[in-house]
Amino acid sequence: MKKSSFTIFIIVLLVIWYSSLRVKSLDAATVSGNDNDTDFTTSIIQRPTIFFRNPDFNFGQIYTGQKVEHIYKFENRGEDILEIKKVKASCGCTAVVLSDNTIPSGGTGEIKTTFSSGSLIGNITKSITVSSNDPGTPKYRLTISGEIIKDLIINPEHIDFGSVSKDEEAIKTVTIKSQTEHDFKINKITPSKPFINASITEVKNGEYVIKVTLKYRPEIGRISGGIHLETNSKIQKKVNIPFFGEIAGDITTYPKKIYYGPVTKGKELTHKLYVKINKSNIEILKIKTFPDYISTEIVEKKEGKDPHYLIEVKLHSDAAIGNIGGVLELHTNSETQPVTLVRIIGEVE
C-alpha cells in the first residue's frame, strides 16, 4: 500500500514538472509573438501622414483681372518626418509657395496660393498636386474654384463684318457699360487698323454707344484686328473688342485652299470648289492646274440670283509620292481679279 502511494506521488511530481516546462515554453513563444506584433505595428505607425483639414477652397465671385490669395494649412499626423517633394499647380494662372518641405511628426506647414484670373470668364476649377513621402497619399490633390465675372458689359463682344465688297462701307454698333463704376467713362478709343474708324455716338445712363465703321479698303481678303478702349474702370482699365470679316472682290472662293490630307498611292480623290460671283457680268474664262495629275471640271454654273460656279477638283491615281504643292488658277474677265490662285496641298504616301 505504501509502495503504491509513493509511486502515485512520483507520477504527480513528474506531471507538475512537465506542465511547468510547457507553460514556460508557451510563455516564451507568446513573448516572441508579441515582439513580432510590436515590430509590425511600429512599422505601420512610424510613417509620415499628410493631412489637410480644408483641401478645397472656393473664392466665390470675383471680377476678371483680379487676384485671390489663399493659404492651405496641413499637418503631419504620422510618426516619421514628412517630406514634401513637389507642389505643382494645374496652370500658370496659379502660383504656389511652400513654407517648408520638411515637416516633423506633429508639425504643421502652409502652402500659399495666388490665383490670377487674367482674362478668364465663368466658373473655373484649378488643382494643386502635393507630392510627398506619405505612402498612403503620395499625391494629395487640392482645388481652388469660383466664378469670374466681367465689370464691363460689352454687346456684342466681337464685331463680325461678314463679307463686304471692297468699295462698300460697313457700319456696326457696340454698347458698353460698367457694373461697378457709377460715373463710367471711356477716355480713349484706338482701332488697330487704319481702315477702321470708331467713335462714341451716344451716352445714356452710363451706357456708351460706339459706332465702328469699315471704310474703303482696296485689298481683298480676310481682315481682323481690335478696337482698344481705355476707361476709368478700376477693374478693367483697358479692354479690346476684336473685329473680323472679309473684303470681297469680284469673286470669292470657298474654301481658300484645297486640302487632300494623307492619300494612299494609287487612290483617286475629288474636292469641290465653290466660286461666288460678287459682281455682274464676271465670268471664269479659263482654269489652269499644277501639277498635271490634278484636273478640274465645272459641274455647275448659276446666273441671276446667287450667281456662282461649282468646280470639281480631282486628284488622279497617278499622283507622285510626296507632298502635293499644287495650285489652281482661275482666269476671269475681272479688272481687279484677273487671276485668283487657290493652293492645293496634301501628301501622297
Side-chain angles (χ1 to χ4, degrees):
M1 183 72 178
K2 290 182 179 179
K3 185 176 181 181
S4 177
S5 298
F6 179 78
T7 303
I8 293 171
F9 176 73
I10 293 298
I11 293 171
V12 170
L13 286 177
L14 288 172
V15 169
I16 293 171
W17 176 74
Y18 179 80
S19 296
S20 66
L21 289 177
R22 179 64 178 168
V23 168
K24 287 181 180 179
S25 175
L26 289 173
D27 286 343
T30 302
V31 170
S32 177
N34 284 339
D35 286 343
N36 289 338
D37 289 344
T38 302
D39 292 341
F40 178 73
T41 305
T42 301
S43 67
I44 293 292
I45 294 175
Q46 290 184 348
R47 68 176 190 181
T49 303
I50 191 169
F51 175 78
F52 287 84
R53 189 173 297 277
N54 298 301
D56 303 313
F57 170 66
N58 186 292
F59 55 74
Q61 197 175 71
I62 62 172
Y63 287 102
T64 182
Q66 289 185 322
K67 294 182 179 181
V68 176
E69 291 187 353
H70 179 69
I71 295 177
Y72 294 93
K73 296 183 179 182
F74 63 95
E75 309 169 31
N76 178 8
R77 292 191 170 184
E79 297 298 325
D80 203 355
I81 295 174
L82 175 68
E83 296 178 3
I84 306 298
K85 299 176 181 179
K86 190 175 184 181
V87 180
K88 184 179 180 181
S90 60
C91 77
C93 59
T94 307
V96 291
V97 178
L98 178 66
S99 61
D100 198 343
N101 58 5
T102 303
I103 309 297
S105 174
T108 60
E110 295 181 348
I111 298 174
K112 183 180 179 181
T113 306
T114 303
F115 170 73
S116 301
S117 60
S119 59
L120 296 173
I121 295 294
N123 293 308
I124 64 98
T125 298
K126 303 297 178 183
S127 63
I128 301 162
T129 303
V130 183
S131 302
S132 73
N133 65 334
D134 177 356
T137 316
K139 292 185 182 295
Y140 203 112
R141 185 174 183 267
L142 310 174
T143 64
I144 182 168
S145 60
E147 183 183 11
I148 306 169
I149 62 175
K150 289 184 177 182
D151 172 33
L152 300 183
I153 304 299
I154 303 171
N155 187 29
E157 294 186 340
H158 58 262
I159 302 168
D160 182 5
F161 285 106
S163 182
V164 182
S165 172
K166 68 182 183 63
D167 298 322
E168 181 183 352
E169 184 179 81
I171 298 175
K172 298 287 183 178
T173 58
V174 178
T175 61
I176 178 171
K177 64 179 179 180
S178 171
Q179 297 190 88
T180 62
E181 197 69 44
H182 297 294
D183 188 24
F184 175 64
K185 288 182 174 60
I186 295 177
N187 300 321
K188 189 177 182 181
I189 304 176
T190 308
S192 64
K193 303 293 183 181
F195 51 82
I196 294 290
N197 182 55
S199 59
I200 297 169
T201 59
E202 185 182 354
V203 183
K204 187 177 181 181
N205 297 326
E207 183 176 77
Y208 281 73
V209 179
I210 301 174
K211 183 175 76 171
V212 182
T213 306
L214 171 62
K215 301 180 291 185
Y216 169 79
R217 183 189 179 200
E219 293 86 359
I220 295 170
R222 299 288 299 174
I223 60 168
S224 63
I227 310 296
H228 306 303
L229 306 179
E230 295 182 16
T231 76
N232 67 339
S233 167
K234 295 180 178 62
I235 299 169
Q236 285 181 271
K237 293 184 178 181
K238 294 184 178 181
V239 66
N240 178 61
I241 305 172
F243 66 81
F244 50 86
E246 182 178 12
I247 304 300
D250 291 343
I251 68 169
T252 307
T253 61
Y254 304 99
K256 299 301 179 185
K257 61 184 177 183
I258 296 173
Y259 177 61
Y260 285 106
V263 183
T264 303
K265 171 65 177 174
K267 188 175 181 179
E268 191 170 270
L269 290 179
T270 301
H271 276 291
K272 297 289 195 305
L273 178 68
Y274 182 87
V275 182
K276 182 182 177 184
I277 306 300
N278 302 316
K279 189 176 180 180
S280 60
N281 301 322
I282 297 299
E283 293 183 330
I284 295 177
L285 305 177
K286 183 171 55 177
I287 303 174
K288 290 184 177 181
T289 58
F290 175 84
D292 56 8
Y293 51 73
I294 295 174
S295 65
T296 61
E297 180 184 358
I298 297 175
V299 294
E300 182 177 290
K301 177 183 177 181
K302 184 178 179 181
E303 299 177 351
K305 186 179 180 181
D306 187 28
H308 66 266
Y309 287 82
L310 189 61
I311 302 172
E312 188 176 82
V313 185
K314 182 178 291 186
L315 175 69
H316 293 275
S317 58
D318 60 345
I321 293 176
N323 290 325
I324 304 170
V327 66
L328 183 152
E329 296 181 359
L330 294 174
H331 294 256
T332 71
N333 60 343
S334 167
E335 293 181 1
T336 57
Q337 287 177 275
V339 180
T340 298
L341 302 180
V342 178
R343 290 182 60 206
I344 304 173
I345 57 178
E347 184 179 4
V348 178
E349 300 175 337

